[in-house]
């Protein structure tokens, strides 16, 4: 009853946003110009705004002429000043948090989060939620599972601005945050669990209790598959917890987690689960209406696997959302650009830059955003294809990352970051490698990476895994078991020759072949002479 009331209240507050967004979709140019005017006016007094003459900019063309395209590395010196506590650096808004995410050239980026950025996110979340519940109205009448992100243990950092969120619902503001919390099948307290297996176990406890579960929202579908695959090995423990209404003495969890679980004996539910067994998840939640997850590129196989396991449940493809910005939202069975949230530009494959209203069907573009968090003409690194239009606004499909990034399970390992890992490994060896390359060891359920190494004594696999885990997304995928531990393949001789033969056989001209620290193809163990180290 509480979840239903909260869902209905949240939908009521979001319906107006959906009406406004539908109107904006018919005038993307006017909407975007208004967004840009507000961003420039509100931030003209920031140091970045003064340096780039925000107060004198009148048109998108003038904005593009005065403000250069930027990567995180270009903005990092400004963000370092925010960490030291300097006000009004990139925006006039106070920076409430610096949110960590994976970087293209390093292990981590810190993205400024402000009240203005929170409102921009809310402008996208509102229409998405209204559309979701409008199309799947039965999802209103019960709890939802919104995937929880555990707090990652990091050393204390010298920063005047808090790094990271205590709770993912911080992305929402005020009443919305409280309403979402009331619908959650898994309490936010689980974020305090650091052990991946314990986290999976207690998440399953919470979900199995909720026979009336209506909505599951995760990011990569492999995470939900990981939960389901954990059921057989934990089944007896799960039923014991539900039957007795308490955790086993051997399971040590923080006090706030145990309090947040609010366990009680569930004898009727246990008898039902015993009849079903651990291998038919579609029968656990007979009222489940929709699963929201990524479905594009590397997520496509996982989404198809979920559809097979839940044949009567709708799979809703998520929009394109990064820590930095919303790009698209699911709306009217398409994925239009969230034109009312941030200011967008798009780089075509020839390098020309276009506003949102000028995009052409079936063309591929790289996304550039300017946000209330202080990211100005920021190259997000995502590449998208125009698949159609909602009103006059393009609907986009994610097709991959610009540049050299491997992303099997959401880990976002970049070539430049892997090169730094290889450099660190070489510095720790008496004899540096003659050849070193990281590649996916598999793209199936047991996805992971292998370091192919020729020369001297190869590094231990644990050291490779530790350095890769400096990327927070890789660390979390490893902690949950979405990625298996990195392995090391010791090449006896002839690595570069074998690499060239494979690349040439794949259709690349010999003159164009350049060995790289990161490749995204598999099957390299059959190309090199050597073996995996135990």
């Amino acid at each position: 009853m509480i979840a239903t009331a909260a869902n209905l209240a949240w939908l009521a507050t979001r319906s107006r946003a959906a009406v406004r967004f539908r109107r904006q979709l018919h005038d993307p140019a006017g909407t975007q110009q208004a967004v840009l005017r507000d961003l420039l006016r509100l931030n003209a007094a920031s140091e970045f705004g003064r340096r780039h003459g925000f107060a004198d900019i009148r048109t998108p063309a003038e904005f593009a002429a005065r403000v250069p395209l930027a990567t995180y590395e270009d903005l990092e010196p400004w963000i370092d000043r925010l960490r030291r506590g300097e006000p009004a650096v990139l925006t006039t808004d106070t920076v409430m948090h610096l949110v960590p995410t994976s970087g293209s050239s390093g292990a981590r980026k810190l993205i400024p989060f402000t009240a203005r950025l929170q409102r921009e996110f809310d402008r996208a979340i509102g229409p998405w939620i209204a559309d979701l519940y409008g199309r799947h109205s039965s999802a209103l009448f019960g709890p939802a599972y919104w995937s929880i992100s555990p707090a990652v243990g990091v050393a204390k950092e010298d920063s005047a601005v808090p790094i990271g969120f205590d709770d993912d619902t911080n992305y929402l503001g005020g009443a919305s945050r409280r309403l979402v919390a009331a619908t959650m099948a898994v309490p936010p307290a689980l974020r305090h669990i650091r052990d991946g297996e314990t986290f999976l176990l207690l998440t399953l406890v919470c979900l199995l209790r909720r026979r009336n579960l209506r909505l599951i929202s995760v990011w990569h579908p492999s995470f939900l598959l990981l939960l389901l695959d954990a059921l057989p090995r934990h089944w007896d423990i799960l039923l014991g917890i539900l039957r007795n209404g308490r955790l086993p003495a051997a399971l040590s969890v923080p006090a706030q987690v145990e309090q947040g679980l609010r366990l009680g004996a569930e004898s009727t539910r246990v008898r039902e689960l015993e009849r079903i067994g651990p291998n038919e998840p579609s029968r656990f939640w007979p009222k489940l209406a929709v699963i929201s997850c990524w479905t594009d590129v590397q997520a496509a196989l996982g989404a198809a696997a979920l559809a097979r396991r839940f044949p009567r449940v709708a799979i809703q493809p998520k929009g394109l959302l990064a820590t930095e910005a919303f790009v698209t939202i699911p709306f009217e069975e398409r994925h239009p650009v969230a034109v009312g949230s941030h200011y967008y530009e798009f780089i075509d494959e020839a390098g020309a830059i276009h506003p949102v209203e000028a995009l052409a069907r079936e063309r591929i573009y790289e996304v550039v955003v300017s946000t209330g968090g202080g990211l100005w003409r920021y190259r997000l690194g995502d590449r998208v294809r125009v698949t159609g239009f909602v009103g006059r606004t393009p609907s986009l499909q994610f097709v991959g990352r610009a540049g050299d990034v491997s992303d099997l399970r959401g880990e976002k390992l970049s070539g430049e970051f892997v090169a730094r890992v290889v450099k660190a490994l070489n510095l720790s060896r008496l004899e540096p490698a003659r050849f070193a390359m990281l590649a996916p060891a598999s793209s199936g359920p047991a996805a992971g990476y292998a370091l192919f190494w020729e020369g001297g004594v190869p590094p231990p696999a644990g050291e490779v895994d530790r350095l890769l885990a400096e990327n927070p997304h890789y660390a979390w995928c490893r902690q949950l078991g979405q990625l298996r531990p990195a392995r090391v393949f010791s090449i006896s001789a002839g690595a570069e020759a074998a690499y060239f033969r494979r690349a040439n056989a794949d259709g690349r001209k010999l003159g164009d072949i350049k060995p790289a620290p990161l490749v995204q193809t598999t099957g390299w163990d059959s190309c090199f002479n050597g073996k995996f180290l135990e």
Side-chain angles (χ1 to χ4, degrees):
M1 292 293 291
I2 293 174
T4 300
N7 280 328
L8 290 168
W10 194 24
L11 176 60
T13 64
R14 301 302 88 193
S15 295
R16 186 179 301 174
V19 172
R20 181 171 59 250
F21 183 62
R22 186 174 289 107
R23 185 168 60 247
Q24 292 169 340
L25 292 174
H26 291 276
D27 183 20
T31 300
Q32 282 284 277
Q33 289 171 20
V35 169
L36 180 60
R37 281 197 304 271
D38 283 349
L39 283 171
L40 296 173
R41 175 178 55 82
L42 293 169
N43 294 290
S46 69
E47 183 171 341
F48 191 95
R50 291 196 302 272
R51 186 174 297 186
H52 293 89
F54 279 11
D56 300 322
I57 295 175
R58 297 291 179 267
T59 66
E62 291 177 6
F63 178 62
R66 294 202 182 195
V67 181
L69 293 171
T71 64
Y72 181 78
E73 287 67 35
D74 298 319
L75 296 177
E76 191 170 17
W78 298 82
I79 293 171
D80 286 341
R81 293 170 59 186
L82 292 173
R83 291 186 66 176
R84 296 194 294 268
E86 292 187 40
V89 177
L90 287 168
T91 71
T92 54
D93 237 7
T94 299
V95 177
M96 301 185 296
H97 297 270
L98 292 169
V99 186
T101 187
S102 295
S104 60
S105 61
R108 186 181 70 166
K109 299 181 290 186
L110 293 174
I111 306 303
F113 191 82
T114 66
R116 166 81 186 195
L117 183 61
Q118 186 178 64
R119 290 193 294 273
E120 291 176 356
F121 272 63
D122 196 53
R123 290 175 196 163
I125 292 170
W128 168 38
I129 292 303
D131 187 77
L132 186 152
Y133 284 124
R135 294 182 184 280
H136 307 281
S137 57
S138 64
L140 285 164
F141 302 104
Y145 173 46
W146 298 94
S147 181
I148 300 291
S149 299
V152 177
V154 295
K156 181 69 175 177
E157 298 189 58
D158 182 19
S159 177
V161 179
I163 294 179
F165 284 139
D166 290 334
D167 186 340
D168 281 355
T169 58
N170 276 287
Y171 279 108
L172 302 169
S176 292
R177 182 182 179 189
R178 293 189 293 273
L179 289 171
V180 170
T183 73
M184 295 176 76
V186 176
L190 259 65
R191 70 182 185 273
H192 297 292
I193 298 174
R194 302 292 172 83
D195 177 71
E197 199 67 14
T198 303
F199 178 79
L200 293 176
L201 174 67
L202 295 187
T203 299
L204 287 168
V205 168
C206 296
L207 292 176
L208 290 177
R209 293 175 64 195
R210 301 292 192 140
R211 187 181 190 276
N212 198 32
L213 187 71
R214 302 298 181 113
L215 166 68
I216 293 176
S217 177
V218 295
W219 297 111
H220 201 289
S222 68
F223 175 70
L224 182 52
L225 293 169
L226 187 76
L227 278 170
L228 300 176
D229 290 343
L231 282 162
R233 66 177 181 270
H234 292 311
W235 190 246
D236 291 339
I237 298 174
L238 288 166
L239 295 185
I241 293 172
L242 294 174
R243 183 183 295 110
N244 300 321
R246 62 179 182 272
L247 300 179
L251 195 64
S252 177
V253 301
Q256 65 265 50
V257 172
E258 192 158 6
Q259 292 169 4
L261 289 174
R262 297 182 180 178
L263 292 173
E266 307 272 356
S267 56
T268 302
R269 179 61 169 158
V270 168
R271 287 193 294 273
E272 180 181 28
L273 292 171
E274 285 176 329
R275 289 193 298 270
I276 296 171
N279 299 313
E280 295 187 75
S282 64
R283 296 177 60 193
F284 296 158
W285 307 292
K287 301 294 181 66
L288 183 63
V290 60
I291 297 173
S292 175
C293 64
W294 286 325
T295 62
D296 294 327
V297 194
Q298 291 286 359
L301 291 176
L306 285 180
R308 289 192 295 271
R309 296 205 194 188
F310 295 93
R312 291 181 293 278
V313 176
I315 305 293
Q316 184 209 51
K318 275 197 189 305
L320 177 53
L321 166 65
T323 304
E324 296 91 336
F326 261 96
V327 180
T328 67
I329 64 172
F331 194 79
E332 296 187 355
E333 299 185 342
R334 295 274 193 164
H335 289 83
V337 179
V339 287
S341 293
H342 322 296
Y343 181 69
Y344 304 91
E345 297 166 271
F346 297 86
I347 306 174
D348 68 21
E349 293 181 293
I353 300 174
H354 306 270
V356 66
E357 68 272 14
L359 302 191
R361 189 187 295 267
E362 294 304 321
R363 295 286 296 275
I364 292 176
Y365 302 89
E366 180 188 343
V367 182
V368 176
V369 294
S370 297
T371 76
L375 301 182
W376 299 104
R377 304 200 74 211
Y378 179 81
R379 299 183 75 153
L380 197 57
D382 291 323
R383 298 172 68 243
V384 294
R385 175 186 289 111
V386 180
T387 59
F389 294 85
V390 183
R392 296 180 179 177
T393 299
S395 176
L396 308 179
Q397 179 185 35
F398 174 69
V399 296
R401 296 281 297 170
D404 184 17
V405 176
S406 183
D407 196 15
L408 300 177
R409 295 292 184 267
E411 68 279 8
K412 302 177 186 176
L413 291 179
S414 72
E416 192 169 347
F417 170 60
V418 172
R420 293 186 181 190
V421 169
V422 170
K423 181 179 180 180
L425 292 169
N426 269 321
L427 289 174
S428 67
R429 320 241 74 71
L430 291 175
E431 179 183 347
R434 292 188 293 273
F435 180 93
M437 180 185 78
L438 190 76
S442 170
S443 59
Y449 287 88
L451 179 68
F452 295 86
W453 185 281
E454 181 187 3
V457 179
E463 185 179 0
V464 177
D465 211 47
R466 178 182 62 79
L467 289 171
L468 292 175
E470 291 181 9
N471 173 315
H473 290 298
Y474 179 91
W476 179 230
C477 288
R478 280 283 297 107
Q479 187 176 350
L480 287 179
Q482 289 178 282
L483 291 174
R484 67 188 182 199
R487 304 179 70 189
V488 173
F489 188 98
S490 178
I491 302 171
S492 56
E496 284 201 349
Y499 179 91
F500 272 70
R501 284 195 299 271
R502 162 76 183 266
N504 187 229
D506 287 345
R508 295 169 60 189
K509 295 179 181 179
L510 288 176
D512 296 336
I513 297 171
K514 298 177 181 178
L518 174 68
V519 299
Q520 299 182 46
T521 48
T522 59
W524 288 95
D525 53 312
S526 63
C527 297
F528 297 123
N529 293 318
K531 63 180 180 179
F532 281 109
L533 302 181
E534 299 301 322

